[in-house]
Amino acid sequence: MANQQLLPLSKKESKLYMAFLYVAFASLLIGGLMGLLQTLVRAGKFTLPFGINYYQILTVHGVILALVLTTFFIVGFQFSLMGKTTGISDKQLKVGWVSFWVMLIGTLITATMILLGEASVLYTFYAPLRAHPLFYIGLSLVIIGSWIAAFVNFRQLYVWKKAHKGQKSPLLAFMVNINMIMWVIASLGVAISVVFQFIPWSLGYGATINVLLSRTLFWYFGHPLVYFWLLPAYMAWYVIVPKVIGGKIFSDGLARLSFILFLMFSIPVGFHHQLTEPGINPTWKFIQVVLTFMVVVPTLMTAFSIFATFEITGRRKGYKSLFGWFKKLPWKDVRFLAPFIGMVAFIPGGIGGIINASHQLNALVHNTIWVTGHFHLTIATTVILTFFGITYWLVPVLTNRKLTPKINRLGIIQSFIWAVGMLIMSASMHIEGLLGAPRRSAFSNYGGADQVSVWINYQIAQAVGGTILFIGILLMVYIFIKLAFFAPRGEEEYPIAEEEEDAMPTPKVLENWKLWIGITIALILFAYTIPMIDIIQHSPPGSVPFDFPIGR
Ligand code: HEM
Ligand SMILES: [Cu+2]
């Protein structure tokens, strides 16, 4: 199988990709500061100035890190992957800019409403908490902008395929398209809820809102959202990291199959976030939990292929003993080290996820700070450290600069700071959660209850971890600015691994989009149709808005 050609990135297109990254790193700084403040408040040592409400900063933190930082980074990174493998036409580039501006304007509208204290509804904006209508309208624009980006990506692959009849599509372009298909299908749920439920209700047209329906539509989107964050990290693990360590792709077919499985099993599982929710038949909860556990399959496939690449590469370099090859990995290269720490964090992160999805164990940890500990391991460590690892080579490529040994060293320090800060913060969140401490709650001594005195030491530990993390954020933003504007001029490689010369051909069926999208839709219909009808027919009267103490 011929290895595919890579295209040069023009100045014009690099500018677009960088625009997305600027927003991502600005978000990191603002969101990180809020995270630090949260830990300080929860430790009971600090009161927010100017009458700022705790839930306001918590909303900023969740929205700007989990929704804005991630979406901008992912769309920008994926655009660059498409530009490198399929190319981008002038017209597509223009539409790419439209997607950027729509997303940015949406973000600014939403941010303004949160800052004015008109939308302290947290990033899940659960009804009946009510925000200003512009909060929802801004969020819709962010989603619409990302759809525009998705359609540019679909078009890029389509044009490439027409020009390369009968050839297998570039692996990275295939992966980007899977992620964007999943994103479009999933975000339809939240779009329907926002357009038909939240916006009319917050404008005062509908007096009440169907709470259960809105939450179900939210989690229809909210679970695949976590895969939308994770899959770009997997793209880097499958295709970029092997090149960084001087190896080859383990198996093109296996990588594609695992992405297809993620597409199929990421959406029809939202009920695992609603296990304690009344109004959903337990049988359907059970079915969705079973579908949830299917995700173990592509996850283990991914772990297997990545470690196989590590081992094969190490052995080729001459290391023979059972684990000798492990030493040969380029530990001093931050482009490898940062994602590697992310992979390690995914081991406890994944185990925690299995615990969360298990019905009875979920009852123990539901709505405790354990859950927060879980996603700071998975998204804020695994995904974000991989994104940092990407930043170290992507920004120099886009700005024609060098990743100098000095910046590389700073990067290694940054990765360790992040790992240590998160270890302290996340471990104490996990333990405190098992002791019953709630998440999403400002400091309170709950009338001097004994239980609370047990929690406080863990909250102080979180403030220590949070402080270390914030130092990590300052360092990362410094490195980003350095790489974007001040590092010496030069050429860096865009690392994309190739297949082995004698690799087995990839089965054609893996590119049968109609088949995979068809199965995905069938699974969604199977898992959601009957419970949705149930929810709509048997719901209690809707809820009037709830504005105090959080909301607007
Ligand atoms: C300086 C680094 C960070 C610190 C100190 C920090 C701290 C915290 C704390 C203490 C909470 C829980 C507050 C509560 O439940 O009352 C929280 C929630 C959260 N964090 Fe972080 N965090 C950091 C970085 C991140 C990153 C990088 C992400 C994602 C990319 C992230 C995503 C979230 C989300 C989604 C929530 C949930 C918000 C909610 O429940 O509405 N955090 N963070
Ligand atoms: Cu989930």
Side-chain angles (χ1 to χ4, degrees):
M1 181 66 47
N3 277 312
Q4 71 135 132
Q5 248 192 328
L6 296 178
L7 304 161
L9 295 178
S10 70
K11 259 212 166 100
K12 260 194 327 196
E13 53 176 315
S14 295
K15 243 172 113 178
L16 172 69
Y17 313 152
M18 279 304 288
F20 283 97
L21 299 191
Y22 293 138
V23 180
F25 278 88
S27 304
L28 179 68
L29 187 60
I30 302 166
L33 179 62
M34 300 302 134
L36 174 64
L37 295 177
Q38 282 155 216
T39 58
L40 297 179
V41 170
R42 285 174 57 96
K45 301 279 182 229
F46 175 77
T47 331
L48 290 168
F50 316 119
I52 297 173
N53 179 301
Y54 178 81
Y55 300 99
Q56 191 178 347
I57 64 167
L58 184 54
T59 307
V60 175
H61 182 76
V63 169
I64 216 147
L65 289 176
L67 301 175
V68 178
L69 160 82
T70 49
T71 311
F72 275 85
F73 189 93
I74 291 167
V75 171
F77 172 49
Q78 292 188 155
F79 262 136
S80 85
L81 294 175
M82 295 301 289
K84 195 76 196 162
T85 56
T86 64
I88 188 165
S89 70
D90 281 349
K91 200 165 146 207
Q92 289 161 353
L93 195 63
K94 270 202 198 109
V95 186
W97 276 109
V98 174
S99 86
F100 172 78
W101 284 110
V102 172
M103 281 172 64
L104 186 63
I105 290 168
T107 302
L108 293 176
I109 293 175
T110 298
T112 308
M113 287 303 122
I114 303 174
L115 293 177
L116 291 175
E118 292 285 327
S120 302
V121 291
L122 312 184
Y123 84 111
T124 44
F125 55 91
Y126 268 2
L129 301 180
R130 180 180 56 170
H132 193 283
L134 282 173
F135 170 85
Y136 306 110
I137 292 170
L139 278 186
S140 317
L141 286 177
V142 177
I143 292 184
I144 292 170
S146 71
W147 286 351
I148 298 173
F151 282 97
V152 174
N153 296 151
F154 300 157
R155 173 92 196 149
Q156 284 173 288
L157 182 60
Y158 174 79
V159 171
W160 187 93
K161 281 186 89 79
K162 265 188 39 184
H164 300 78
K165 280 234 156 50
Q167 286 183 37
K168 143 174 106 173
S169 62
L171 178 57
L172 283 165
F174 175 89
M175 291 169 151
V176 168
N177 273 264
I178 289 266
N179 200 25
M180 287 319 242
I181 288 170
M182 181 185 78
W183 172 251
V184 170
I185 297 178
S187 49
L188 276 173
V190 77
I192 289 172
S193 166
V194 164
V195 171
F196 292 102
Q197 293 193 284
F198 282 96
I199 293 179
W201 175 70
S202 68
L203 283 169
Y205 291 129
T208 62
I209 188 164
N210 183 333
V211 173
L212 181 56
L213 182 62
S214 71
R215 290 168 66 130
T216 305
L217 286 170
F218 180 84
W219 285 115
Y220 167 91
F221 155 81
H223 182 75
L225 172 66
V226 311
Y227 286 101
F228 175 67
W229 300 330
L230 197 58
L231 290 189
Y234 278 20
M235 295 172 200
W237 296 2
Y238 270 112
V239 191
I240 309 271
V241 170
K243 178 76 176 184
V244 169
I245 67 170
K248 305 262 178 186
I249 293 174
F250 174 71
S251 159
D252 178 283
L254 184 136
R256 284 178 209 245
L257 178 61
S258 88
F259 268 60
I260 290 170
L261 293 175
F262 278 118
L263 169 67
M264 293 195 311
F265 293 108
S266 64
I267 305 174
V269 299
F271 285 175
H272 70 216
H273 292 266
Q274 297 174 280
L275 291 175
T276 59
E277 201 126 319
I280 301 171
N281 186 316
T283 309
W284 290 103
K285 287 183 184 169
F286 174 74
I287 288 171
Q288 291 213 2
V289 164
V290 173
L291 290 173
T292 300
F293 285 118
M294 295 298 287
V295 87
V296 171
V297 179
T299 305
L300 292 183
M301 281 163 65
T302 305
F304 171 79
S305 16
I306 288 157
F307 276 86
T309 302
F310 290 170
E311 178 171 358
I312 293 168
T313 312
R315 288 199 190 280
R316 279 211 182 127
K317 290 181 183 165
Y319 278 77
K320 296 216 163 48
S321 68
L322 189 56
F323 291 110
W325 50 269
F326 200 71
K327 283 194 228 129
K328 192 68 194 171
L329 294 170
W331 298 107
K332 293 199 172 123
D333 185 341
V334 68
R335 300 171 309 159
F336 167 74
L337 182 73
F340 186 86
I341 298 177
M343 294 173 195
V344 173
F346 205 48
I347 299 170
I351 295 171
I354 294 176
I355 291 172
N356 297 341
S358 310
H359 208 147
Q360 278 158 313
L361 296 177
N362 181 279
L364 186 69
V365 297
H366 200 93
N367 252 342
T368 69
I369 193 93
W370 156 288
V371 175
T372 320
H374 162 71
F375 59 63
H376 281 84
L377 273 186
T378 45
I379 177 187
T381 312
T382 302
V383 172
I384 295 295
L385 271 181
T386 303
F387 287 1
F388 290 169
I390 292 167
T391 303
Y392 290 109
W393 54 262
L394 181 58
V395 174
V397 165
L398 297 180
T399 56
N400 278 323
R401 292 179 191 278
K402 288 297 271 183
L403 170 62
T404 60
K406 210 172 131 212
I407 303 178
N408 183 61
R409 204 166 332 118
L410 272 184
I412 290 176
I413 297 172
Q414 200 283 336
S415 307
F416 279 116
I417 292 179
W418 198 267
V420 170
M422 207 54 100
L423 184 71
I424 298 174
M425 187 173 90
S426 166
S428 43
M429 282 174 165
H430 276 91
I431 302 172
E432 197 194 349
L434 291 178
L435 297 170
R439 69 187 273 215
R440 301 185 141 180
S441 170
F443 179 74
S444 163
N445 64 6
Y446 296 88
D450 283 347
Q451 180 89 2
V452 181
S453 61
V454 183
W455 297 342
I456 193 72
N457 288 331
Y458 294 101
Q459 309 219 342
I460 290 171
Q462 284 161 40
V464 172
T467 308
I468 298 174
L469 270 170
F470 188 64
I471 295 170
I473 286 184
L474 292 178
L475 187 54
M476 191 62 218
V477 172
Y478 169 79
I479 293 171
F480 175 76
I481 293 174
K482 198 100 186 151
L483 287 176
F485 302 108
F486 301 108
R489 292 266 167 211
E491 290 259 315
E492 287 285 359
E493 153 194 62
Y494 196 117
I496 296 185
E498 300 183 335
E499 284 187 80
E500 301 281 358
E501 291 301 331
D502 55 354
M504 290 224 296
T506 303
K508 275 236 155 33
V509 63
L510 292 175
E511 285 208 66
N512 190 336
W513 291 101
K514 282 193 191 118
L515 177 67
W516 307 123
I517 297 173
I519 296 179
T520 303
I521 292 173
L523 276 171
I524 294 170
L525 290 176
F526 164 67
Y528 273 106
T529 309
I530 297 176
M532 275 299 199
I533 293 175
D534 228 30
I535 288 170
I536 293 168
Q537 283 184 342
H538 301 298
S539 277
S543 174
V544 295
F546 186 87
D547 292 333
F548 180 83
I550 52 179
R552 59 184 291 211

